[in-house]
Amino acid sequence: MSMFSSVKKLAVAALVFCSTAVFAADMAPDFTLKSSTGENIRLAEQRGQVVMLNFWASWCGPCREEMPLLDAMSKKYGKMGFVLYGINVDADTADAKNVLEKIKVTYPILFDPESKLSELYKVEGMPFTVVIDKKGQIRYIHKGYVAGDEKKYVKYIMELVSE
């Protein structure tokens, strides 16, 4: 085997490996999930709006901390073409519903109890936030939450709704 064919095989293997992750600039994988109100939400039906997916779990302290801030953002920017979906990843949706009784949010909560969407989006830790532009392209991925991150989210939202 020549050196060129070895390098070529390595490059192809690297491409295959890298293509399994979701990156900013990729088209957002479509999905349909049941919401807390019982309706099915399909991502493709949100084209024309800026969409934020915020993956969270009941056991995640930073997730619970940012939820009221996300709710305020949803209310403030919703009329500008922004929609926020909280994606709960708990295997038992009762755990999520217990949190939602204590932390009231107005944005839709979608349930991913089998982690299929989390796997599709290659979620790494909680919270995990994906911002999608009006054309359905992933523009920003944010891992974790510390106080002040909401300012970054607002910057992303304002930038994308004005495009």
Side-chain angles (χ1 to χ4, degrees):
M1 177 160 45
S2 74
M3 183 172 167
F4 177 74
S5 65
S6 296
V7 170
K8 186 176 175 184
K9 284 183 180 180
L10 186 60
V12 169
L15 256 174
V16 169
F17 176 74
C18 289
S19 69
T20 61
V22 175
F23 297 101
D26 286 351
M27 289 303 289
D30 192 22
F31 64 86
T32 301
L33 284 178
K34 179 96 43 204
S35 78
S36 54
T37 61
E39 66 182 313
N40 287 327
I41 302 291
R42 182 168 181 215
L43 180 63
E45 293 173 354
Q46 307 311 313
R47 289 277 166 88
Q49 300 205 72
V50 174
V51 177
M52 178 184 279
L53 306 177
N54 179 259
F55 292 83
W56 67 279
S58 63
W59 47 263
C60 170
C63 298
R64 294 189 308 271
E65 183 181 342
E66 82 173 337
M67 288 172 77
L69 302 169
L70 294 174
D71 194 51
M73 286 173 28
S74 177
K75 289 175 182 174
K76 184 172 184 176
Y77 300 107
K79 294 177 181 145
M80 297 173 68
F82 169 71
V83 64
L84 167 66
Y85 294 111
I87 314 292
N88 178 263
V89 301
D90 287 304
D92 184 353
T93 57
D95 294 336
K97 290 174 183 174
N98 287 337
V99 169
L100 294 170
E101 285 178 18
K102 296 172 188 140
I103 303 172
K104 306 285 187 201
V105 296
T106 57
Y107 58 89
I109 301 295
L110 311 180
F111 298 106
D112 185 28
E114 296 173 3
S115 296
K116 289 181 180 176
L117 187 61
S118 301
E119 289 174 20
L120 188 62
Y121 276 81
K122 304 298 180 198
V123 171
E124 301 171 359
M126 293 291 130
F128 187 89
T129 303
V130 178
V131 183
I132 302 164
D133 70 15
K134 296 175 185 178
K135 296 176 184 171
Q137 183 177 354
I138 296 172
R139 296 288 290 273
Y140 303 101
I141 296 173
H142 189 86
K143 300 171 189 174
Y145 172 77
V146 294
D149 281 350
E150 64 277 6
K151 293 174 186 168
K152 293 176 190 175
Y153 298 156
V154 169
K155 180 180 174 248
Y156 302 156
I157 294 164
M158 295 307 294
E159 183 179 307
L160 295 177
V161 296
S162 65
E163 285 185 348

